[in-house]
Amino acid sequence: MLPVLLVLTTVELASGLVLDTFESTLLRYPSLLVLVPVTIGMAGNLGSILAARLSTAFHLGLLDFAPDDDLLLGNAIATIALSLTLFPLVGAGAWAIQALVAGAALDLLTVVLVATASGAVLAVLAIAVTLVATYAAYRLELDPDDVVIPVVTNTCDVLGVLVLFGVVRVLV
């Protein structure tokens, strides 16, 4: 696991550098600044929830990685549904916090739209990363409980930063 953790640490550092390049945007729109840690955390959480479910199915012998596997499809749909219900609430909460503290520079709809779009994209990416990591652990005969969740959470944290700022560039 040490080589994997070293690579993930390097990737996390790169994520911090990307975050630093958007400092002026974050300072101009503080509602987005409030979204950053929540989006990063939620992205990792979505991936880790799915990874835990797939790992359990793997240990029970219920996971076969077939494209028509109902277990995979059901968990993917649940991940997207969870994202589409939580991220709009996160956006509204970020806007409300900023409005209470210092007045909002962006309107509520824009912040909710940024959060929702980021969440939808992150859910799809979390599903892809989790499936690839779980399948790789299976093929390499590694325990997915030990490998998949750290890989998925770190990767999704980085993707959270990248996706959030990609969506901000498109929508704001």
Side-chain angles (χ1 to χ4, degrees):
M1 277 302 292
L2 184 61
V4 171
L5 292 175
L6 289 173
V7 168
L8 292 173
T9 300
T10 305
V11 170
E12 288 282 346
L13 288 171
S15 173
L17 294 173
V18 169
L19 188 60
D20 186 51
T21 64
F22 289 99
E23 183 179 7
S24 63
T25 304
L26 293 174
L27 294 175
R28 188 172 350 139
Y29 303 115
S31 297
L32 300 177
L33 184 60
V34 175
L35 277 179
V36 171
V38 179
T39 301
I40 292 170
M42 290 288 291
N45 290 343
L46 283 174
S48 65
I49 289 167
L50 181 59
R53 293 181 59 82
L54 293 182
S55 178
T56 299
F58 173 77
H59 286 302
L60 293 173
L62 302 174
L63 193 61
D64 61 4
F65 296 104
D68 62 344
D69 186 1
D70 289 338
L71 183 73
L72 286 175
L73 182 61
N75 280 303
I77 290 170
T79 300
I80 291 170
L82 185 61
S83 170
L84 293 176
T85 55
L86 291 177
F87 274 95
L89 296 173
V90 166
W95 181 86
I97 289 169
Q98 181 56 37
L100 287 173
V101 172
L106 291 172
D107 61 288
L108 174 63
L109 183 61
T110 301
V111 177
V112 170
L113 188 58
V114 165
T116 304
S118 298
V121 171
L122 284 169
V124 171
L125 292 173
I127 291 166
V129 168
T130 303
L131 289 176
V132 168
T134 304
Y135 185 73
Y138 163 74
R139 295 292 293 173
L140 297 170
E141 298 180 2
L142 300 171
D143 185 358
D145 287 329
D146 294 335
V147 177
V148 176
I149 291 178
V151 168
V152 168
T153 54
N154 282 304
T155 305
C156 288
D157 288 351
V158 172
L159 290 173
V161 171
L162 297 175
V163 167
L164 178 63
F165 290 115
V167 169
V168 166
R169 286 220 165 163
V170 171
L171 297 178
V172 178

